[in-house]
Amino acid sequence: MGDAEQISVGIVGASGYGGVQLVRLLQDHPNVKIVYLGGDSSAGKPFYTLYPHLSHCIDLMVEPIDLDHIASQCQVVFLSLPNGLALKMAPQLLEKGCKVLDLSADYRFFNLDTYKKWYGSERDDKEIASTAVYGLPELYRDRISQAQLIGCPGCYVTASLLALSPLLKQGLIATDSAIIDAKSGTSGGGRQAKTNLLHSEADNAISAYGVAGHHRHTPEIEQICSDLAGHDLKVQFTPHLIPMARGILATVYATLRDPGLVREDLITIYTAFYRNSPWVKVLPSGTYPQTKWASGTNLCYLGVEVDQRTNRVIVMSVIDNLIKGQAGQGVQCLNLMMGWDETLGLPKLSFYP
Amino acid sequence: MGDAEQISVGIVGASGYGGVQLVRLLQDHPNVKIVYLGGDSSAGKPFYTLYPHLSHCIDLMVEPIDLDHIASQCQVVFLSLPNGLALKMAPQLLEKGCKVLDLSADYRFFNLDTYKKWYGSERDDKEIASTAVYGLPELYRDRISQAQLIGCPGCYVTASLLALSPLLKQGLIATDSAIIDAKSGTSGGGRQAKTNLLHSEADNAISAYGVAGHHRHTPEIEQICSDLAGHDLKVQFTPHLIPMARGILATVYATLRDPGLVREDLITIYTAFYRNSPWVKVLPSGTYPQTKWASGTNLCYLGVEVDQRTNRVIVMSVIDNLIKGQAGQGVQCLNLMMGWDETLGLPKLSFYP
Amino acid sequence: MGDAEQISVGIVGASGYGGVQLVRLLQDHPNVKIVYLGGDSSAGKPFYTLYPHLSHCIDLMVEPIDLDHIASQCQVVFLSLPNGLALKMAPQLLEKGCKVLDLSADYRFFNLDTYKKWYGSERDDKEIASTAVYGLPELYRDRISQAQLIGCPGCYVTASLLALSPLLKQGLIATDSAIIDAKSGTSGGGRQAKTNLLHSEADNAISAYGVAGHHRHTPEIEQICSDLAGHDLKVQFTPHLIPMARGILATVYATLRDPGLVREDLITIYTAFYRNSPWVKVLPSGTYPQTKWASGTNLCYLGVEVDQRTNRVIVMSVIDNLIKGQAGQGVQCLNLMMGWDETLGLPKLSFYP
Amino acid sequence: MGDAEQISVGIVGASGYGGVQLVRLLQDHPNVKIVYLGGDSSAGKPFYTLYPHLSHCIDLMVEPIDLDHIASQCQVVFLSLPNGLALKMAPQLLEKGCKVLDLSADYRFFNLDTYKKWYGSERDDKEIASTAVYGLPELYRDRISQAQLIGCPGCYVTASLLALSPLLKQGLIATDSAIIDAKSGTSGGGRQAKTNLLHSEADNAISAYGVAGHHRHTPEIEQICSDLAGHDLKVQFTPHLIPMARGILATVYATLRDPGLVREDLITIYTAFYRNSPWVKVLPSGTYPQTKWASGTNLCYLGVEVDQRTNRVIVMSVIDNLIKGQAGQGVQCLNLMMGWDETLGLPKLSFYP
């Protein structure tokens, strides 16, 4: 495909980590040309003043956010903004003919009451919201292919759901038995300066937060788990902040319904479930994933273990929180929406160590 | 107490992290004088060649391990050696009149078959082993006070048991429902050079290991939990290696028998349970501990949470793995054995950040 | 000395890293009782809400900053505030009879024009400022002993001056030949949230800043170096931010006047220079210091090397930037001002690793 | 170019960090097919057992090192071995018609007496060695294009020389005035388990090593600097180990001959010098590079500053030590040797943060 055939893409909210990951990934994407970068606080500056290391590959200015202008320039728009802003922009952009991929929470919920409870905003865009597709390709690949509006999943949610989906889909675990103990690098907190995210505070330290169902990713995980299981269920989700910049490990525990299942059975089931999912790698028996393996890639590595003493399955899931957990997953959805190969333009080889 | 009244203490295995922590702590202890440091590979060298930053405070040589010599010099001996060596030394040292505190696994097990299964060694010291006391003062304070031989607990075990004990002792949780998701800094792996503990491998990475009951601390945790509960039980224990040098966080999940219990009830129960334990701090409602708070101290901080949606209690327990999880706990036991105040000579204020 | 004989100390600006270090150190000081903690933004809160790990040892409230009240309560006041505030408080506190130790830059300069050039503020307190003593005990011990007002040195400055002083005092190096390449942990940037100090930005990264004489510590270093040399001189000072929370290493290069000097000569000279300085340790030949050795202590370790090929001396100086580089040095000055032993109440043993 | 036109490449010493970087880079290279991976200790194992995250993209076995076999399979051979081994293999491989790129020190020296002095080995391959070209493309691009044998530079050397070359080539600095204060991540020490490279030792710590000309990269830097300057000269080189996995920052100081030169002059000179070097980026005035900008890329970023007070130029140079400092530079040389574009198949966009 020559340059003439590249699609035009814009990114609204280009200055944060989601934005810079999108720029990074889309610069390397053969079928995409970035034509617009938008932001409020940095409007009027060259993008490379925010990220000087990219000065050799991108010379776009950050522009003010003007929806008419954006729609006139872009076939596809990524929204990478704080929660509550995309819902004001997506309807107009869609109406003007853009495809929209939103990285915030605004279009993740099937039920807007849940959204309101956790995120606070009233919604005027209910009809539009009902057309949004949840952007986890491993579960909703077909719908994503047909969608005009994607609500991309949260980072913790992605790691958790890829670990749990085969179990839930097949009805292998006891209802409400799932416990997700998740550990995230600090970039998950974004580029806004917050005291608890300072290097001097976060280095050499680990702590839990949002314990006992108080993290916003809990209802999002439960929504999709319930969809997979075919009935409402609850999960225990505990996020932790650990001293590394990138990566998430979710360690997931659940009680097996069938005490006869062994590790190799589960690995077979997982391997089959993800047979057509190029971005999920089920590890061989006895191998457990490390976050650094996924760093800088769109991959999810899954390690599966069974404890026959306790009759529990333990699944370890690692992703790069900013790629498979955010921008890369958005690009994966874009590939599907455009009818391209799901792997197009996305990194699959980490630099190690 | 003047110098004349200080007791003479020796450390066998002084070159590792356990050894240097003991040296560090005992140098500051008002009632102790270190008179002997023993080691194999470093025998004949001044101790400060191993740890040059201590040259201004200690000029002892590392000496060969000669039990007669040790017993003639020391009233109390700390053994800080790889598993399987203390069991060959402790009997003689005891016979010669020394009190012995062992930091290895050799004297932690009530049932030596369990020891043999997990650590491999046959035992000729069964009678002696039966006199050993498990060195967790918060649970076995009285027995420690009377003991001549202490088997000091593992680091993960300490963090886990301090989180679980009030629940088990009071019968508050469903049998076998406890899941311990533990995260340790890399110093827990010791000072031996191993590839997976290299900075370049361990930095910016997290992974689980010993999953599904395969870590040696599982039987040790289950032994004490069963003792507290009054019947045999199983726990799910998953250790993780995280990119920090010091500290452990254990996040412990269990199902409450009584669905009416709320967070404040549990905090009251925990506070009462540890009322006479100066080294355990139960945090106020809604406060979750961070490992760095405990760093460089003998403290354990506990955060307690209840999720009424799932009827689970979640306890977060942090310690410094090398102090409360190892050498500091040994000194705490020593204080009890000598009839001194349990807090004597032990650090209680971390440097933050 | 019983409690009745403890002096009453207040800390203004208790919420930052300087403040919490002072609290930490003074809590352990046998001759001091903290009676007042002051702050603006956190006034009215218990101090432990800012640093929950200290709840077991301090229950003071943070109070508003009222100089009359402070003076009525405190014999000694530490000011740990942003630059430009101490100069408005110190005169009144001194007039009311307090001794004052200022951790900011306000009282570090012999020439207030230099202060104005670099820090911007006009000064109404010139007479008072002329009585201030520069709080580096290794150089100005006697004057500190007599002082009522101390301007405590900057962290980089402390590491640099302890490396350079013997060379300058003895006239061993070529004028203007000194180059200081300094590397600091991120806590040197304080607890204010700044984007470049976020963990995700600062981890796995190193960069220089304030290059070519543009850092405020340059004139401070040059002032004292000139004082030692007896004539004006310039130094090249380059600070770097490195991915660790605590510690500074200054690597100092200078050209020797006498090409015949060898490493051992220099070590002899350094050892003699610091013979009566308990907080400076000159390392043996061939040993180079590591920042972690000094962590959590008031020590400075110096490694000295000569390159006979290039006729340069290279001195490596490490300190804990928040202790010997800030709060600990303040306490060391306090000890001298009160006629106590210079080491009283200060930590000298790091936890390693 | 289709698969049929790809060249066949082998890597001897595939298990270390140099090896895995080569595998990573060459897998993405459009004109290369990896056909052989060789090693001693891991011969007979699939390569992905050493690096499980690569199991989805490479299924080669590690084979024993048999030169006849290698030469029969490979047009180009990378040697990534400890020093002193390549010199025994390269002559035979060249004779059998392979092109050879050596990542060790064996073919870096113009004068084998210097090699012997620093690396100890006698040489039987003097004639062959005299045909080796020093693999720094920015300085020796034409010779590399014609070469059959490349001695790839050391990591510190690359960062240092790219900072110094314009100054030396143009005769801008005083002889012997250059001081290189270099800071490296821990992966520079390789994947061999060494105590000082353990995470628990290296984290939160910085120290210098090989001070005063005792590091092997000193003679290598001086060799090339002398070649550029046209006369023998000496540099002061001090490496430091800092707590990050990847990256080098070299901060280089030198005295300008012409005191009239200002920062902008130097930036102009540097920009001109590197005009045809796609992998070197000279930063705009006042911008200083951060190692993370180069991470995962083959780029070198240079920041240039002049201190008119001291008449010194200060150049900051950052690279990824394992890419531009090792394997990437080898691939860049390969591109030149094959007549391909110098940038082919090499990464130019880092993931940030």
Side-chain angles (χ1 to χ4, degrees):
Chain A
M1 179 180 270
D3 274 13
E5 298 171 71
Q6 289 183 322
I7 63 162
S8 300
V9 173
I11 301 166
V12 184
S15 64
Y17 287 152
V20 73
Q21 300 304 309
L22 283 170
V23 170
R24 166 66 183 80
L25 293 169
L26 295 174
Q27 279 290 116
D28 261 6
H29 196 293
N31 291 11
V32 166
K33 186 171 174 60
I34 304 174
V35 298
Y36 168 87
L37 298 177
D40 269 339
S41 58
S42 42
K45 295 186 200 168
F47 180 71
Y48 64 71
T49 58
L50 304 173
Y51 293 101
H53 64 295
L54 297 179
S55 62
H56 63 287
C57 72
I58 189 159
D59 56 7
L60 290 177
M61 304 291 286
V62 181
E63 300 182 54
I65 301 173
D66 173 326
L67 298 182
D68 284 330
H69 174 68
I70 296 170
S72 73
Q73 301 292 313
C74 306
Q75 296 166 264
V76 174
V77 181
F78 283 92
L79 303 176
S80 180
L81 295 162
N83 299 311
L85 296 179
L87 57 86
K88 298 178 184 159
M89 300 180 190
Q92 290 183 60
L93 291 168
L94 289 163
E95 193 185 0
K96 293 171 200 292
C98 300
K99 293 181 196 287
V100 175
L101 297 107
D102 177 31
L103 302 190
S104 84
D106 287 9
Y107 291 104
R108 291 177 190 164
F109 289 90
F110 305 161
N111 181 335
L112 294 185
D113 292 340
T114 309
Y115 178 82
K116 194 190 162 196
K117 176 177 168 197
W118 287 87
Y119 293 90
S121 305
E122 287 289 352
R123 302 292 292 252
D124 302 324
D125 61 334
K126 290 187 184 168
E127 203 170 334
I128 290 289
S130 71
T131 71
V133 175
Y134 191 75
L136 191 62
E138 288 72 18
L139 298 183
Y140 302 105
R141 190 171 278 115
D142 292 345
R143 282 190 246 168
I144 293 167
S145 303
Q146 308 301 321
Q148 301 299 310
L149 171 60
I150 302 288
C152 293
C155 52
Y156 280 125
V157 186
T158 297
S160 302
L161 290 176
L162 294 175
L164 277 168
S165 294
L167 301 173
L168 291 165
K169 191 76 181 182
Q170 312 261 353
L172 298 176
I173 55 172
T175 305
D176 298 353
S177 73
I179 293 178
I180 302 160
D181 190 281
K183 300 89 175 170
S184 174
T186 54
S187 63
R191 211 189 194 191
Q192 274 68 44
K194 295 175 199 158
T195 300
N196 71 315
L197 295 175
L198 285 174
H199 183 276
S200 47
E201 298 280 320
D203 196 47
N204 256 284
I206 172 171
S207 58
Y209 63 105
V211 183
H214 294 124
H215 191 283
R216 289 166 167 185
H217 283 178
T218 300
E220 190 183 335
I221 297 170
E222 291 183 346
Q223 165 187 267
I224 307 297
C225 285
S226 299
D227 191 39
L228 287 166
H231 57 82
D232 277 3
L233 57 76
K234 298 202 180 315
V235 300
Q236 193 74 54
F237 169 64
T238 312
H240 298 77
L241 190 68
I242 69 169
M244 63 185 195
R246 291 177 89 112
I248 285 178
L249 166 65
T251 310
V252 179
Y253 304 85
T255 302
L256 289 167
R257 284 188 199 283
D258 175 355
L261 287 173
V262 299
R263 176 166 73 174
E264 285 66 26
D265 299 328
L266 271 292
I267 291 178
T268 302
I269 290 166
Y270 272 73
T271 304
F273 189 89
Y274 289 116
R275 181 162 294 136
N276 298 313
S277 290
W279 291 114
V280 179
K281 302 294 172 194
V282 181
L283 292 164
S285 193
T287 302
Y288 308 145
Q290 194 199 43
T291 46
K292 194 144 59 172
W293 295 356
S295 189
T297 81
N298 197 49
L299 286 163
C300 173
Y301 289 94
L302 296 176
V304 182
E305 189 57 85
V306 171
D307 189 346
Q308 296 191 268
R309 299 163 59 258
T310 61
N311 199 30
R312 286 202 191 88
V313 56
I314 300 143
V315 187
M316 293 143 279
S317 168
V318 307
I319 59 170
D320 184 319
N321 60 310
L322 298 177
I323 303 188
K324 183 60 177 167
Q326 190 183 42
Q329 188 144 267
V331 175
Q332 188 183 351
C333 289
L334 172 67
N335 286 341
L336 290 167
M337 292 166 86
M338 301 303 298
W340 302 331
D341 187 280
E342 193 169 335
T343 64
L344 197 69
L346 282 167
K348 67 177 193 296
L349 294 173
S350 82
F351 286 99
Y352 186 95
Chain B
M1 179 181 270
D3 274 14
E5 298 169 73
Q6 291 183 321
I7 63 162
S8 300
V9 173
I11 302 167
V12 185
S15 64
Y17 288 152
V20 72
Q21 301 304 310
L22 283 170
V23 170
R24 165 66 181 79
L25 293 170
L26 295 175
Q27 279 289 116
D28 261 6
H29 196 293
N31 292 9
V32 165
K33 185 172 175 58
I34 304 175
V35 298
Y36 167 87
L37 299 176
D40 268 340
S41 57
S42 42
K45 295 185 201 167
F47 180 71
Y48 64 71
T49 58
L50 304 174
Y51 294 100
H53 65 295
L54 297 180
S55 62
H56 63 288
C57 71
I58 189 160
D59 56 6
L60 289 177
M61 304 291 286
V62 181
E63 300 182 54
I65 302 174
D66 173 326
L67 298 182
D68 283 330
H69 175 68
I70 297 169
S72 74
Q73 301 292 313
C74 307
Q75 295 165 266
V76 174
V77 181
F78 283 91
L79 302 176
S80 180
L81 295 161
N83 299 312
L85 296 178
L87 58 85
K88 297 176 184 159
M89 300 179 190
Q92 290 183 60
L93 291 169
L94 289 163
E95 194 184 1
K96 292 172 201 293
C98 301
K99 293 180 196 286
V100 176
L101 297 107
D102 177 31
L103 301 189
S104 84
D106 287 9
Y107 290 104
R108 292 177 189 164
F109 289 90
F110 305 161
N111 180 335
L112 293 185
D113 293 340
T114 309
Y115 178 83
K116 192 188 164 197
K117 178 177 167 197
W118 286 88
Y119 293 89
S121 305
E122 287 290 350
R123 302 292 292 252
D124 302 324
D125 61 335
K126 288 187 186 167
E127 203 170 334
I128 290 290
S130 71
T131 70
V133 174
Y134 191 75
L136 192 62
E138 287 73 17
L139 299 183
Y140 302 105
R141 190 170 278 115
D142 292 345
R143 281 190 246 167
I144 293 167
S145 303
Q146 308 301 321
Q148 302 298 309
L149 171 61
I150 302 288
C152 293
C155 53
Y156 280 125
V157 186
T158 298
S160 303
L161 290 177
L162 295 175
L164 276 168
S165 294
L167 300 172
L168 291 165
K169 192 76 182 182
Q170 312 261 352
L172 299 176
I173 56 173
T175 305
D176 297 354
S177 73
I179 293 177
I180 301 160
D181 190 282
K183 300 90 175 169
S184 173
T186 55
S187 63
R191 210 190 196 190
Q192 273 69 45
K194 295 175 198 157
T195 300
N196 71 315
L197 295 177
L198 286 174
H199 183 276
S200 47
E201 299 281 320
D203 195 47
N204 255 283
I206 171 170
S207 58
Y209 63 103
V211 183
H214 294 123
H215 191 283
R216 289 166 167 184
H217 283 178
T218 300
E220 189 183 335
I221 297 170
E222 291 183 345
Q223 164 187 269
I224 306 296
C225 285
S226 299
D227 191 39
L228 288 166
H231 56 83
D232 277 3
L233 56 77
K234 298 203 181 314
V235 301
Q236 193 73 53
F237 169 65
T238 312
H240 298 77
L241 191 67
I242 69 168
M244 62 184 196
R246 291 178 89 113
I248 285 178
L249 166 65
T251 312
V252 179
Y253 305 85
T255 302
L256 289 168
R257 283 189 199 282
D258 175 355
L261 286 174
V262 298
R263 177 166 73 174
E264 285 66 26
D265 298 329
L266 270 293
I267 291 177
T268 302
I269 290 166
Y270 271 74
T271 304
F273 190 89
Y274 289 117
R275 181 161 294 135
N276 298 314
S277 290
W279 292 115
V280 179
K281 301 295 171 193
V282 181
L283 291 163
S285 193
T287 302
Y288 308 146
Q290 193 198 43
T291 47
K292 194 145 55 173
W293 295 356
S295 189
T297 80
N298 197 49
L299 286 164
C300 173
Y301 289 93
L302 296 175
V304 182
E305 190 56 86
V306 171
D307 189 346
Q308 295 190 270
R309 298 162 61 257
T310 62
N311 199 30
R312 284 202 192 89
V313 57
I314 300 142
V315 186
M316 292 143 280
S317 167
V318 307
I319 59 170
D320 183 318
N321 60 310
L322 298 177
I323 303 188
K324 182 60 180 167
Q326 191 183 40
Q329 187 143 267
V331 176
Q332 189 182 350
C333 288
L334 173 66
N335 286 340
L336 290 168
M337 292 165 88
M338 301 303 298
W340 303 330
D341 187 280
E342 195 169 336
T343 64
L344 197 69
L346 284 166
K348 68 177 193 295
L349 294 173
S350 82
F351 285 99
Y352 187 95
Chain C
M1 179 182 269
D3 274 13
E5 297 169 72
Q6 290 183 321
I7 63 163
S8 300
V9 173
I11 302 167
V12 184
S15 64
Y17 287 153
V20 73
Q21 301 304 310
L22 283 169
V23 170
R24 166 66 181 80
L25 293 170
L26 295 175
Q27 279 290 115
D28 262 5
H29 197 293
N31 291 9
V32 166
K33 185 172 176 58
I34 304 174
V35 297
Y36 168 87
L37 299 177
D40 268 340
S41 58
S42 42
K45 296 185 199 168
F47 180 72
Y48 65 71
T49 58
L50 304 174
Y51 294 100
H53 64 296
L54 297 180
S55 62
H56 62 289
C57 71
I58 189 159
D59 56 7
L60 289 176
M61 304 291 285
V62 181
E63 301 181 54
I65 301 174
D66 173 326
L67 298 182
D68 283 330
H69 175 68
I70 297 170
S72 74
Q73 301 292 313
C74 308
Q75 296 165 265
V76 174
V77 181
F78 283 91
L79 302 176
S80 181
L81 295 162
N83 299 312
L85 296 178
L87 58 85
K88 298 177 184 159
M89 300 179 189
Q92 290 182 60
L93 291 168
L94 289 163
E95 194 185 0
K96 293 172 200 294
C98 301
K99 292 181 197 286
V100 176
L101 297 106
D102 176 31
L103 301 189
S104 84
D106 287 8
Y107 292 103
R108 291 177 190 163
F109 289 90
F110 304 162
N111 181 335
L112 293 185
D113 293 340
T114 309
Y115 178 82
K116 194 189 163 196
K117 176 178 168 196
W118 288 87
Y119 293 89
S121 305
E122 287 289 350
R123 303 292 292 253
D124 302 324
D125 61 335
K126 289 187 185 169
E127 204 170 334
I128 291 289
S130 71
T131 70
V133 174
Y134 191 75
L136 192 62
E138 287 73 17
L139 299 183
Y140 302 105
R141 190 170 277 115
D142 292 344
R143 282 191 245 167
I144 293 167
S145 304
Q146 308 301 322
Q148 302 299 311
L149 172 59
I150 301 288
C152 292
C155 53
Y156 280 125
V157 186
T158 297
S160 302
L161 291 176
L162 294 175
L164 276 169
S165 295
L167 300 172
L168 291 165
K169 191 76 180 181
Q170 312 261 352
L172 298 176
I173 56 172
T175 304
D176 297 353
S177 73
I179 294 178
I180 301 160
D181 191 282
K183 300 90 175 170
S184 174
T186 55
S187 63
R191 210 188 194 192
Q192 273 68 45
K194 295 175 199 159
T195 300
N196 72 315
L197 295 177
L198 285 174
H199 183 275
S200 48
E201 299 280 319
D203 196 46
N204 255 283
I206 171 171
S207 58
Y209 63 104
V211 182
H214 294 123
H215 191 283
R216 288 167 168 185
H217 283 178
T218 300
E220 190 183 334
I221 297 170
E222 291 183 346
Q223 164 187 267
I224 306 296
C225 285
S226 299
D227 191 38
L228 287 166
H231 57 82
D232 276 4
L233 57 76
K234 299 203 179 314
V235 301
Q236 192 74 54
F237 169 64
T238 312
H240 297 76
L241 190 68
I242 70 170
M244 61 184 196
R246 290 177 89 111
I248 285 178
L249 167 64
T251 311
V252 179
Y253 305 85
T255 302
L256 288 168
R257 283 188 200 282
D258 175 354
L261 286 175
V262 298
R263 177 166 71 175
E264 285 67 26
D265 299 329
L266 271 293
I267 291 177
T268 302
I269 289 166
Y270 272 73
T271 304
F273 190 89
Y274 290 116
R275 182 162 293 134
N276 297 314
S277 291
W279 292 114
V280 179
K281 301 295 173 193
V282 181
L283 291 163
S285 193
T287 301
Y288 308 146
Q290 193 198 43
T291 46
K292 195 146 56 174
W293 295 357
S295 190
T297 80
N298 197 49
L299 285 164
C300 173
Y301 288 94
L302 297 175
V304 182
E305 189 57 84
V306 171
D307 190 344
Q308 295 190 269
R309 298 162 61 257
T310 61
N311 200 32
R312 285 202 191 88
V313 56
I314 300 143
V315 186
M316 292 143 279
S317 168
V318 308
I319 59 169
D320 183 319
N321 60 309
L322 298 178
I323 303 187
K324 183 60 179 167
Q326 192 183 39
Q329 188 144 268
V331 175
Q332 189 182 349
C333 289
L334 172 67
N335 286 340
L336 290 168
M337 291 166 88
M338 301 303 298
W340 303 331
D341 186 281
E342 193 169 336
T343 64
L344 197 69
L346 283 166
K348 68 178 193 293
L349 294 172
S350 83
F351 286 100
Y352 187 95
Chain D
M1 177 182 270
D3 275 13
E5 297 170 73
Q6 289 183 322
I7 64 162
S8 300
V9 173
I11 302 166
V12 185
S15 65
Y17 288 151
V20 73
Q21 301 304 310
L22 284 169
V23 170
R24 165 67 183 78
L25 293 170
L26 295 174
Q27 279 289 116
D28 261 6
H29 196 294
N31 291 10
V32 165
K33 186 172 173 59
I34 304 174
V35 298
Y36 167 87
L37 298 177
D40 269 340
S41 57
S42 43
K45 296 185 199 167
F47 180 72
Y48 64 71
T49 59
L50 303 174
Y51 294 100
H53 64 295
L54 297 179
S55 63
H56 63 288
C57 71
I58 190 159
D59 57 6
L60 290 176
M61 304 290 286
V62 181
E63 301 182 54
I65 301 173
D66 173 325
L67 299 182
D68 283 330
H69 175 68
I70 296 169
S72 73
Q73 301 292 312
C74 307
Q75 296 165 263
V76 174
V77 181
F78 283 91
L79 302 176
S80 180
L81 295 161
N83 299 312
L85 295 178
L87 58 85
K88 298 177 183 158
M89 300 179 188
Q92 291 183 61
L93 291 169
L94 289 163
E95 193 184 2
K96 293 172 200 291
C98 300
K99 293 180 196 287
V100 175
L101 296 107
D102 177 31
L103 301 189
S104 84
D106 287 10
Y107 291 104
R108 291 177 190 164
F109 288 90
F110 304 162
N111 182 336
L112 294 184
D113 292 341
T114 309
Y115 178 82
K116 194 188 162 196
K117 177 177 168 197
W118 287 87
Y119 293 90
S121 304
E122 287 290 349
R123 303 291 293 251
D124 301 325
D125 61 335
K126 290 187 184 168
E127 204 169 334
I128 291 289
S130 72
T131 70
V133 174
Y134 190 75
L136 191 63
E138 287 73 17
L139 298 183
Y140 302 106
R141 190 171 278 116
D142 292 344
R143 283 190 244 168
I144 292 167
S145 304
Q146 308 300 321
Q148 301 299 311
L149 172 60
I150 301 288
C152 292
C155 52
Y156 281 126
V157 186
T158 297
S160 302
L161 290 176
L162 294 175
L164 276 169
S165 294
L167 300 173
L168 291 165
K169 192 75 181 182
Q170 312 261 354
L172 298 176
I173 56 172
T175 305
D176 298 353
S177 73
I179 294 177
I180 302 160
D181 191 282
K183 300 90 175 171
S184 174
T186 55
S187 63
R191 210 189 196 192
Q192 273 69 44
K194 295 174 199 158
T195 300
N196 72 314
L197 294 176
L198 286 174
H199 183 276
S200 48
E201 298 280 320
D203 195 47
N204 256 284
I206 171 171
S207 58
Y209 64 104
V211 183
H214 293 124
H215 191 282
R216 288 165 167 186
H217 283 179
T218 301
E220 190 183 335
I221 297 170
E222 290 183 345
Q223 166 187 268
I224 306 297
C225 285
S226 298
D227 191 38
L228 288 166
H231 56 81
D232 278 3
L233 57 76
K234 298 203 181 314
V235 301
Q236 193 74 54
F237 169 65
T238 311
H240 297 76
L241 191 67
I242 69 170
M244 63 184 196
R246 290 177 89 113
I248 285 178
L249 166 65
T251 311
V252 179
Y253 304 85
T255 302
L256 290 168
R257 283 188 200 283
D258 175 354
L261 287 173
V262 298
R263 176 165 73 174
E264 284 67 27
D265 299 329
L266 271 291
I267 291 178
T268 302
I269 290 165
Y270 271 73
T271 304
F273 190 89
Y274 288 116
R275 181 161 294 136
N276 298 313
S277 290
W279 292 114
V280 179
K281 301 295 172 194
V282 181
L283 292 163
S285 193
T287 302
Y288 308 145
Q290 193 198 45
T291 47
K292 195 146 56 174
W293 295 356
S295 189
T297 81
N298 197 50
L299 286 164
C300 174
Y301 288 93
L302 296 176
V304 182
E305 190 57 83
V306 171
D307 189 344
Q308 295 190 270
R309 298 163 61 259
T310 61
N311 199 31
R312 285 201 192 88
V313 56
I314 300 142
V315 186
M316 292 143 279
S317 168
V318 306
I319 59 170
D320 183 319
N321 60 310
L322 298 177
I323 303 188
K324 182 60 179 167
Q326 190 183 42
Q329 188 143 268
V331 175
Q332 188 183 350
C333 288
L334 173 66
N335 286 341
L336 290 168
M337 292 166 86
M338 301 303 297
W340 302 331
D341 186 280
E342 195 170 335
T343 64
L344 198 68
L346 283 167
K348 67 178 194 295
L349 294 173
S350 82
F351 286 99
Y352 187 95

